[in-house]
Amino acid sequence: MVASPAAPQAANDTLPYVNIAAYLFAKLDRLPERRAELLAFCKERQLKGTILLAPEGINLFMAGLREPIDELLAQLRSDPLLAELEAKESFSETQPFSRLLVKLKKEIIAFGIDGIEPGDYTSKKIPPQTLKQWLDEGRPLTLLDTRNDYEVELGTFENALPIGVDNFRDFPDKVRQLPEEMKDQPIVMFCTGGIRCEKAGPFMEREGFREVYQLEGGILKYFEECGGEHYEGDCFVFDHRVALDPQLKETATTQCFACQHPLTPEQQASEKYVAGVSCPFCWTEPDIKRWTPEEREQRIREVAAPLPGSSSYTNERPLNVPQKYHDWTLLDFLADYHPHVSREDWASVCETGLIRYRDRAWQADQLVWEGQRLLRLEPDTIEPDVNPNIKLITWQNQLVVFDKPAPLPVHPCGRFNKNSMTMLLDLAFPETKLRPAHRLDANTTGLIVFTSHRDHSLRIQRQFERGEAEKTYLCRVVGQPTEETFRCDLPISRDTAEAGARCIDEANGLSASTEFRVLKRLDDGTTLVEAKPLTGRTNQIRVHLWHLGFPILNDSVYLPEQKIGEKITHDVSAPPMCLHSWKLRLREPETGEGLNFETPLPAWGTDAAEFSSVAAKEPSA
């Protein structure tokens, strides 16, 4: 523990970069315009970092030289909605961020609970000096650390209680598991800079905690005003510095490039730490990494025979209560929220005790509240068959590329839970948590990328968002376009309609662009078309081709003559939908090396063989 207080630092010749963290809950308008303006403003001044904009406010972590940072803060505060924006500062010798991002989000801090509006109400705040005084006096209170476990490992207040989460979205469930007697005790919650507590505090009060305080400005402001008294260790920060000590100076802590876990100097000395490869938290036995592609595919075949969803089981489906239904009866909520099921059927479900909250049956006449997480039990569930013939393209350390068959949902959804690609991979490789870095529809075949750590997934997702990665699809469409190349830039609806379909919505839709190239016109009146989506909207290629009058062959939703199918079909015996994720170009998430992947052509697309140029791939690890 460091006991000496630290005064705010001033930028100097040895620490020229000013790092600021700031947030403000305010009802923001003109979000796309604000994003464009801030992006241009920061680029001109060579500022780097991340700015998040949402209807509820702004959250930013930025770094640059003194004058440009001051200009940015002045620019933001010139807006009456952001006039009260306060920033916490620290300094570094080098620029801690590698890029500039200005992003639009639903929330500036993801929480997922309706009805929590920090712009209207927050819990009582106590200044750092007041908390220090309380701790000096030994005042009885509970210090609640709202941060993720990997942050807590690096440092926290003496005797603080960690909430015990890997993600802030798990906070509500963990609060509900706290002892009942804590509801009558004074609780002081804290996080890095204070923003998480802005939502955590009101939620705890809504759950019945009567005396909740939040540390104003979080740990960083406490360090700035009080130094390290009553604090042990460092504070994790979300930039290349990784951690700061109570003097707000960068420490020797680093992060594992493979799994992003923070590593102290002692952990870096472990024989399991190999820079860019592994650390004590993600290291696996060497023999696991020596499996051949054939052995890995065999493991998938073994867990899929029989399919895990082919045996009867009780499925548990979450039911989260939106704000609209606060203080409704359970039956009224269910009947209104899921109108495709009759009120009589919902009454029967409630009567048989199949709606539960915390392992207790919730009755039809009991009230529900916003943010409540119920479970609907579905006994005797047997899932439809899927095609489990997953092929491995490459397994390169933390990046894995598969050739997905169809029908096979990537994620649990609808009638599928155990019979999904993620579940099959979890069963086949329990020692490696594989995460999909992007999506394919259940009936779409071809290339899909998984990674063994969430950070790698995020890096690949960002490549797609910034247009740095390129996906090429092969389609077989009904009809024959007259032009050799064409493009569609029409926006796609945000919400689904019948059969889960989306459509063109020029007034309120999401921007979408797809380029098309005719490969071969076939004698049966269909055409092989190459499609390159420049954006990543749901069903984008299918919707654009359908709107242009060339729907994909065997698509059960987007039918010829601008018709919509009655339902999505996932019949393994039905003719396959002729949409194939054919080629993929991206950068390796660790080294930045360019990678190209290509799958064999499906049977319905073999006439496109002359256009195929299968790229050399790295050998599987």
Side-chain angles (χ1 to χ4, degrees):
M1 181 184 73
V2 179
S4 57
Q9 301 179 55
N12 53 47
D13 292 338
T14 59
L15 295 173
Y17 282 92
V18 184
N19 306 282
I20 59 170
Y23 70 87
L24 183 67
F25 286 95
K27 298 186 184 304
L28 296 186
D29 54 5
R30 301 174 48 252
L31 293 182
E33 292 85 351
R34 289 177 184 273
R35 178 186 182 277
E37 292 165 2
L38 283 172
L39 194 59
F41 188 92
C42 293
K43 279 184 177 179
E44 183 180 347
R45 289 158 179 79
Q46 298 182 322
L47 297 174
K48 293 183 179 180
T50 299
I51 301 176
L52 302 181
L53 298 170
E56 66 178 8
I58 185 172
N59 185 19
L60 60 92
F61 296 87
M62 297 291 290
L65 300 179
R66 174 84 270 175
E67 185 175 348
I69 285 290
D70 287 344
E71 290 175 352
L72 172 62
L73 290 172
Q75 173 72 7
L76 291 169
R77 290 165 178 160
S78 68
D79 186 329
L81 295 174
L82 302 176
E84 302 301 317
L85 183 70
E86 295 184 6
K88 291 177 285 297
E89 293 187 354
S90 61
F91 301 89
S92 60
E93 185 175 352
T94 59
Q95 169 62 263
F97 297 105
S98 60
R99 60 186 180 274
L100 169 66
L101 292 174
V102 183
K103 304 180 71 173
L104 302 184
K105 308 286 283 186
K106 291 182 179 178
E107 302 176 90
I108 57 174
I109 183 69
F111 196 50
I113 297 293
D114 293 330
I116 302 297
E117 302 288 347
D120 297 330
Y121 174 79
T122 62
S123 298
K124 297 181 289 293
K125 297 181 181 179
I126 64 168
Q129 294 285 359
T130 301
L131 175 60
K132 179 180 177 299
Q133 179 182 340
W134 287 5
L135 296 176
D136 289 343
E137 296 169 352
R139 181 178 297 204
L141 55 85
T142 297
L143 276 168
L144 186 66
D145 196 330
T146 67
R147 300 173 301 157
N148 301 327
D149 286 341
Y150 64 87
E151 299 174 74
V152 178
E153 287 180 23
L154 279 186
T156 188
F157 283 99
E158 297 169 353
N159 302 316
L161 173 67
I163 193 63
V165 297
D166 291 325
N167 188 292
F168 189 52
R169 282 184 173 273
D170 300 328
F171 181 86
D173 285 340
K174 291 296 184 178
V175 165
R176 291 164 181 151
Q177 296 172 25
L178 292 174
E180 191 71 20
E181 57 269 21
M182 280 187 62
K183 291 185 175 180
D184 295 317
Q185 301 171 4
I187 294 174
V188 178
M189 55 175 46
F190 63 90
C191 58
T192 307
I195 189 170
R196 281 174 275 193
C197 294
E198 300 273 13
K199 291 191 173 182
F203 175 78
M204 290 192 70
E205 291 183 23
R206 197 173 73 184
E207 289 292 304
F209 292 82
R210 297 172 180 83
E211 192 175 353
V212 178
Y213 305 89
Q214 68 179 78
L215 175 60
E216 183 179 9
I219 298 169
L220 295 182
K221 190 170 180 65
Y222 185 93
F223 281 177
E224 184 179 313
E225 296 187 4
C226 305
E229 290 198 54
H230 304 291
Y231 191 93
E232 294 181 332
D234 303 328
C235 179
F236 181 88
V237 290
F238 295 89
D239 57 50
H240 290 177
R241 295 173 297 171
V242 183
L244 302 181
D245 65 18
Q247 280 70 48
L248 295 174
K249 294 180 181 178
E250 182 178 358
T251 72
T253 297
T254 188
Q255 271 183 295
C256 173
F257 209 71
C259 72
Q260 297 301 295
H261 198 288
L263 302 172
T264 64
E266 293 77 16
Q267 291 163 342
Q268 294 170 47
S270 167
E271 62 182 14
K272 296 178 181 179
Y273 174 61
V274 180
V277 177
S278 66
C279 76
F281 298 96
C282 67
W283 182 86
T284 55
E285 293 289 344
D287 61 338
I288 291 177
K289 296 185 178 182
R290 286 199 295 264
W291 288 332
T292 66
E294 293 75 20
E295 289 171 333
R296 287 185 166 113
E297 288 185 359
Q298 178 61 27
R299 294 185 70 172
I300 298 173
R301 287 194 293 269
E302 289 173 356
V303 302
L307 287 166
S310 62
S311 300
S312 176
Y313 73 100
T314 297
N315 192 10
E316 297 183 354
R317 293 186 178 275
L319 275 171
N320 296 312
V321 181
Q323 181 182 10
K324 169 184 175 181
Y325 299 102
H326 185 70
D327 277 348
W328 286 39
T329 66
L330 174 62
L331 182 57
D332 288 342
F333 157 59
L334 293 171
D336 189 78
Y337 194 50
H338 292 293
H340 58 282
V341 179
S342 71
R343 187 179 181 88
E344 292 73 22
D345 286 344
W346 277 125
S348 177
V349 169
C350 296
E351 186 177 348
T352 50
L354 296 179
I355 304 294
R356 293 187 169 269
Y357 176 66
R358 294 188 180 181
D359 296 325
R360 291 185 298 150
W362 212 247
Q363 303 302 320
D365 59 351
Q366 287 186 269
L367 300 182
V368 299
W369 58 85
E370 56 183 296
Q372 185 181 15
R373 182 182 175 87
L374 302 162
L375 283 180
R376 181 192 177 186
L377 306 186
E378 296 180 344
D380 304 320
T381 294
I382 297 180
E383 300 178 23
D385 287 343
V386 295
N387 184 349
N389 191 26
I390 301 168
K391 298 296 185 182
L392 176 62
I393 301 297
T394 188
W395 192 305
Q396 302 179 31
N397 294 326
Q398 280 74 40
L399 184 144
V400 186
V401 183
F402 294 104
D403 185 353
K404 186 185 85 69
L408 178 63
V410 175
H411 303 275
C413 59
R415 297 175 296 160
F416 301 91
N417 178 31
K418 293 185 177 183
N419 288 356
S420 61
M421 188 169 182
T422 53
M423 179 64 76
L424 291 174
L425 295 178
D426 284 346
L427 293 173
F429 309 109
E431 71 288 335
T432 306
K433 177 63 176 176
L434 293 177
R435 299 169 171 83
H438 59 110
R439 297 182 179 184
L440 288 182
D441 292 336
N443 286 328
T444 301
T445 59
L447 292 170
I448 183 169
V449 179
F450 280 70
T451 72
S452 59
H453 192 270
R454 62 179 180 272
D455 184 71
H456 289 73
S457 291
L458 289 172
R459 293 183 190 190
I460 293 174
Q461 290 167 14
R462 288 167 184 156
Q463 289 182 44
F464 287 121
E465 291 171 1
R466 296 194 294 262
E468 298 170 357
E470 182 180 288
K471 290 188 287 186
T472 302
Y473 288 78
L474 179 66
C475 320
R476 188 166 180 172
V477 303
V478 178
Q480 298 193 337
T482 57
E483 298 177 330
E484 297 300 318
T485 61
F486 53 101
R487 175 174 172 143
C488 186
D489 294 306
L490 294 173
I492 294 176
S493 60
R494 299 170 184 268
D495 301 315
T496 58
E498 54 185 317
R502 296 175 189 266
C503 59
I504 299 300
D505 183 354
E506 297 191 58
N508 300 304
L510 297 168
S511 61
S513 298
T514 315
E515 294 178 343
F516 300 98
R517 179 168 69 100
V518 170
L519 300 181
K520 191 168 186 177
R521 297 177 177 86
L522 304 175
D523 294 339
D524 64 355
T526 63
T527 305
L528 290 175
V529 174
E530 176 188 88
K532 290 188 176 182
L534 306 182
T535 52
R537 307 307 179 196
T538 303
N539 296 354
Q540 177 174 315
I541 295 173
R542 298 163 65 190
V543 173
H544 276 171
L545 285 170
W546 174 73
H547 181 80
L548 294 172
F550 305 106
I552 291 173
L553 184 65
N554 299 331
D555 191 331
S556 64
V557 176
Y558 302 100
L559 305 178
E561 300 177 1
Q562 300 288 300
K563 294 180 181 178
I564 294 290
E566 293 183 0
K567 61 180 180 179
I568 303 173
T569 59
H570 299 299
D571 187 350
V572 293
S573 63
M577 182 175 74
C578 297
L579 178 61
H580 182 70
S581 177
W582 184 15
K583 303 175 186 178
L584 179 62
R585 178 181 300 159
L586 49 80
R587 288 182 292 103
E588 209 282 334
E590 291 183 0
T591 65
E593 175 190 1
L595 297 174
N596 292 285
F597 302 103
E598 183 174 326
T599 60
L601 291 165
W604 52 263
T606 52
D607 288 322
E610 61 190 284
F611 302 97
S612 176
S613 56
V614 177
K617 305 178 182 69
E618 295 290 335
S620 296

